[in-house]
Amino acid sequence: QVQLVESGGGLVQAGGSLRLSCVASGRTFRDYTMGWFRQAPGKERELIAAISWTTAYADSVKGRFTISRDNAKNTAYLQMNSLKPEDTAVYYCVAKSAMVLAPPKSPTLYDYWGQGTQVTVSS
C-alpha cells in the first residue's frame, strides 16, 4: 500500500506561483508513474501533469506548470506559475504502480490517490 500526502496548496493572486509537493510512502517510488489531477466544482477530474519515462501535460497548463520528482526523497512536485482563476480546484497527487511510455489520462488507471489540496486563485 502506498500513501500519498500533498502539501503546498493555498490562496494566491492571479499571476502568482505555487509549488505542490507529494510525499509517497514505500520503497519503490522510482518504479511509479506520478501525476497530478485536479477537480473544480461541477467539473470532472482531469489529468494536468504526469511523469514517467516521459512527461505529459494538459494543454491548459503547458508552459505554465512543471512536474518533477526526486526519487531520493520519494517526492513529486508540481510547480505552478502564471496562475489563473480557472486553475482554482482541488489538486490530487496520484501514483500508478508502473513506469510507462505514455502516462494515462484516465483517473481509473491510477492506483493510489492523495487526499487533495485546495488551490484558489483570486482575480
Side-chain angles (χ1 to χ4, degrees), residues 10-18 83 119-123:
L11 174 64
V12 64
Q13 288 188 333
S17 299
L18 284 174
L83 283 160
V119 171
T120 302
V121 184
S122 63
S123 57

Side-chain angles (χ1 to χ4, degrees), residues 53-120:
W53 296 121
T54 61
T55 57
Y57 295 92
D59 288 343
S60 59
V61 306
K62 281 181 181 177
R64 300 189 297 123
F65 290 12
T66 302
I67 189 170
S68 61
R69 65 193 298 163
D70 185 336
N71 290 338
K73 296 183 178 179
N74 278 20
T75 302
Y77 303 96
L78 184 67
Q79 178 66 44
M80 305 186 293
N81 299 328
S82 302
L83 283 160
K84 304 174 181 180
E86 51 263 44
D87 294 318
T88 295
V90 178
Y91 284 68
Y92 297 91
C93 177
V94 297
K96 178 179 174 62
S97 304
M99 294 288 280
V100 295
L101 286 176
K105 295 182 179 181
S106 171
T108 63
L109 296 179
Y110 288 86
D111 303 302
Y112 304 102
W113 288 72
Q115 79 285 357
T117 185
Q118 177 70 45
V119 171
T120 302

Side-chain angles (χ1 to χ4, degrees), residues 1-74:
Q1 188 73 10
V2 173
Q3 290 187 323
L4 304 175
V5 179
E6 303 107 331
S7 62
L11 174 64
V12 64
Q13 288 188 333
S17 299
L18 284 174
R19 188 176 80 157
L20 304 183
S21 300
C22 174
V23 180
S25 64
R27 297 184 294 176
T28 58
F29 178 79
R30 66 179 63 251
D31 296 331
Y32 286 83
T33 292
M34 300 299 297
W36 293 89
F37 278 76
R38 70 183 179 189
Q39 186 168 25
K43 295 187 177 181
E44 295 184 351
R45 290 186 182 185
E46 61 168 338
L47 179 72
I48 55 170
I51 184 168
S52 193
W53 296 121
T54 61
T55 57
Y57 295 92
D59 288 343
S60 59
V61 306
K62 281 181 181 177
R64 300 189 297 123
F65 290 12
T66 302
I67 189 170
S68 61
R69 65 193 298 163
D70 185 336
N71 290 338
K73 296 183 178 179
N74 278 20

